[in-house]
Amino acid sequence: MPFPSSTPVDAVLTTAYGDDAGLHGLSTAGHNAALTPAEILLEEAERHDFQYGEVLPAGVRKALGEAHLDAQSGRSLVELGAGTGKVALQAFLECPSLLRVTAVELAAARYRVGEAALLRLCERIPERFSLLAHAPGACVRISERPPAADTSAHQREGSSRELELSVGDVFELGAAARAA
């Protein structure tokens, strides 16, 4: 069943991820993303665990709230095991105080779902989102243009807001991937 777009953030998530934005259970693109043969070998050797689960937007909204992570008072957020990047994108959209959201996913197929979603977002809403950097299959970084009426402190200071999604082992990502 498609995700009901009840808030502006939900509508953007649906633009980026399509009907997958609100799916749950084993029917999501992240669950259906096939592991590569190399990832299967890593999992069998017990070097990595590729178990996957998704948090629904209402749960993310609650987790980001003042009673839990209080993400609205932060300036940066890092998500490890980002899957398709939905949580990172939702945090980026719901918490304008976050100047930088960095998400890292180990499974290449899940990363590609998120990579496609962020590229789609920049393509479909270019007046709001722009592509800053893209190393296909490795890293994608976007920014959000502030609304014309935005007078928040970080916009007055000239800071841009960025969301970056990368693929790889966070301990093995090189400076080139982080700088892409």
Side-chain angles (χ1 to χ4, degrees):
M1 179 159 121
F3 180 54
S5 296
S6 59
T7 71
V9 169
D10 297 338
V12 174
L13 290 172
T14 300
T15 298
Y17 291 95
D19 288 344
D20 198 61
L23 293 177
H24 60 280
L26 300 177
S27 59
T28 68
H31 279 95
N32 293 319
L35 296 178
T36 66
E39 291 167 343
I40 292 169
L41 289 174
L42 286 172
E43 187 168 56
E44 288 172 352
E46 298 183 17
R47 285 202 53 224
H48 298 291
D49 183 351
F50 289 92
Q51 185 171 346
Y52 186 72
E54 288 193 16
V55 182
L56 295 176
V60 173
R61 196 166 289 120
K62 184 176 181 178
L64 293 171
E66 188 177 339
H68 300 285
L69 295 174
D70 194 19
Q72 192 61 259
S73 67
R75 294 181 60 88
S76 64
L77 181 116
V78 176
E79 182 187 13
L80 303 178
T84 62
K86 287 181 196 172
V87 171
L89 178 57
Q90 186 173 348
F92 184 70
L93 296 170
E94 290 197 359
C95 303
S97 65
L98 294 174
L99 299 180
R100 179 128 174 113
V101 174
T102 303
V104 180
E105 172 54 37
L106 187 60
R110 292 182 191 132
Y111 163 80
R112 285 192 298 273
V113 172
E115 175 184 43
L118 294 180
L119 294 173
R120 187 177 310 112
L121 198 57
C122 292
E123 178 184 302
R124 293 190 181 166
I125 313 177
E127 66 279 4
R128 184 170 176 190
F129 300 99
S130 60
L131 183 63
L132 296 176
H134 184 216
C139 181
V140 60
R141 186 169 8 119
I142 69 168
S143 68
E144 180 183 29
R145 291 186 180 92
D150 189 345
T151 58
S152 61
H154 73 270
Q155 291 304 333
R156 285 193 307 271
E157 296 167 7
S159 301
S160 65
R161 298 182 64 234
E162 297 181 4
L163 167 63
E164 179 180 312
L165 176 63
S166 300
V167 66
D169 183 327
V170 71
F171 297 109
E172 295 175 6
L173 285 176
R178 289 190 301 269

